[in-house]
Amino acid sequence: MIRAALIWLLTALPALAASEDIVAGLSQNRVSITADFEGSEILIYGAIKRTAPVPPGALHIIITVEGPSRPLTVRKKERTAGIWINREAVQIASAPSFYAIATTGHLRDILTETENLRHQITIPRAIRAVGISQQAQNAPEFLEALIRVREAEDRYRLRERSVQFTEATLFRSDVVLPANLTEGLYRVRIFLTRDGQVVDRIERQINVRKEGLERFLFNLSRDQPLIYGLLSLLIAVVAGYGASAAFRFMKR
């Protein structure tokens, strides 16, 4: 028994000595959404810390930024008698409101499918759509349509070879957050891969929240919906009266 333990320890020591760890940071971990908010740019940077010489194999970095996830319904429309109507629908259990991937290389070359399945890194893997095949025919088309629409809205992104990697030690990448952000915690994950296998990973968070007038109106709509509705109606009436008065003045 002791001999077996010694053999295991001797074989495990090289692997432990060759460990590689990620040290990373963000340029900001808080984003405020105000009335004039037009988006924000986050710098993600870091280094690889080693306690032994660099082991063989190609080393790469994968960075993901994931917004709050929500359930949603994807519907398929068909043209009938000149009118577009909803036909089939699929319920998606959870889909990120925003998802960006930045890498040092082509994703198919630096990440195995097994590791992708384990860590849920690619966009299709980040969407929880278990059981959709039982809800409609050609169910995968609904998932593809969701990804296609959100890519067109710039809410889902894949930026391969966009991470700057210097001498396999220092890395940095800029991730632009769009203006139509969903409030909540955004999860930043950084993966270190060697020959397609995840060697180390680290996670950070970005807190996105409304501030100022945006925060006041948001809280009012949740806490006092009646007052919020009456206030919205009053603003609409005042705006309509103001526009009518302006047109009458212009006609004179």
Side-chain angles (χ1 to χ4, degrees):
M1 185 69 181
I2 297 177
R3 183 180 178 182
L6 288 173
I7 294 174
W8 177 86
L9 183 60
L10 290 173
T11 56
L13 280 175
L16 293 174
S19 63
E20 297 173 294
D21 301 318
I22 302 172
V23 181
L26 308 176
S27 60
Q28 56 180 322
N29 55 18
R30 182 184 180 91
V31 174
S32 299
I33 301 177
T34 58
D36 57 350
F37 180 74
E38 297 181 352
S40 181
E41 185 172 338
I42 306 295
L43 170 63
I44 303 171
Y45 58 92
I48 309 302
K49 182 177 67 175
R50 299 186 178 91
T51 56
V54 180
L59 190 68
H60 287 279
I61 295 290
I62 301 173
I63 299 174
T64 67
V65 180
E66 179 181 354
S69 295
R70 300 286 188 273
L72 55 87
T73 302
V74 180
R75 294 181 174 86
K76 182 179 181 180
K77 292 185 177 182
E78 292 184 359
R79 191 178 181 88
T80 303
I83 302 175
W84 289 96
I85 60 175
N86 293 325
R87 288 295 186 182
E88 295 179 296
V90 165
Q91 299 289 332
I92 304 294
S94 179
S97 57
F98 175 82
Y99 199 81
I101 305 174
T103 70
T104 53
H106 294 294
L107 201 54
R108 64 177 181 272
D109 299 329
I110 66 176
L111 182 70
T112 65
E113 183 56 35
T114 301
E115 293 291 84
N116 181 30
L117 180 62
R118 177 185 174 192
H119 296 281
Q120 310 290 299
I121 294 176
T122 59
I123 294 175
R125 292 296 183 188
I127 300 173
R128 293 183 56 193
V130 180
I132 62 172
S133 58
Q134 302 174 1
Q135 300 180 34
Q137 295 181 346
N138 299 322
E141 294 182 359
F142 289 80
L143 183 58
E144 294 171 0
L146 170 63
I147 295 174
R148 185 171 59 252
V149 168
R150 293 202 165 179
E151 284 178 342
E153 295 173 346
D154 203 27
R155 289 199 282 170
Y156 286 176
R157 307 174 191 161
L158 173 58
R159 300 290 186 264
E160 296 177 314
R161 304 178 66 86
S162 63
V163 178
Q164 301 177 25
F165 206 14
T166 306
E167 297 180 357
T169 301
L170 304 175
F171 66 87
R172 60 162 290 167
S173 180
D174 297 304
V175 177
V176 177
L177 302 179
N180 56 342
L181 286 180
T182 299
E183 188 179 35
L185 289 178
Y186 283 62
R187 185 171 62 150
V188 179
R189 295 183 298 165
I190 304 172
F191 298 90
L192 177 66
T193 69
R194 187 176 290 281
D195 290 338
Q197 303 295 319
V198 175
V199 177
D200 189 32
R201 57 166 289 181
I202 194 171
E203 186 170 318
R204 296 288 183 266
Q205 287 185 336
I206 302 172
N207 186 13
V208 176
R209 58 179 284 121
K210 296 180 175 68
E211 299 290 351
L213 180 61
E214 295 286 326
R215 166 57 55 181
F216 171 75
L217 293 177
F218 178 81
N219 289 338
L220 187 65
S221 66
R222 296 297 187 273
D223 301 335
Q224 301 290 339
L226 178 60
I227 297 177
Y228 177 80
L230 293 175
L231 182 62
S232 300
L233 180 61
L234 177 62
I235 293 174
V237 171
V238 172
Y241 177 80
S244 177
F247 279 117
R248 286 199 302 269
F249 178 77
M250 292 173 61
K251 288 181 179 180
R252 292 179 181 177

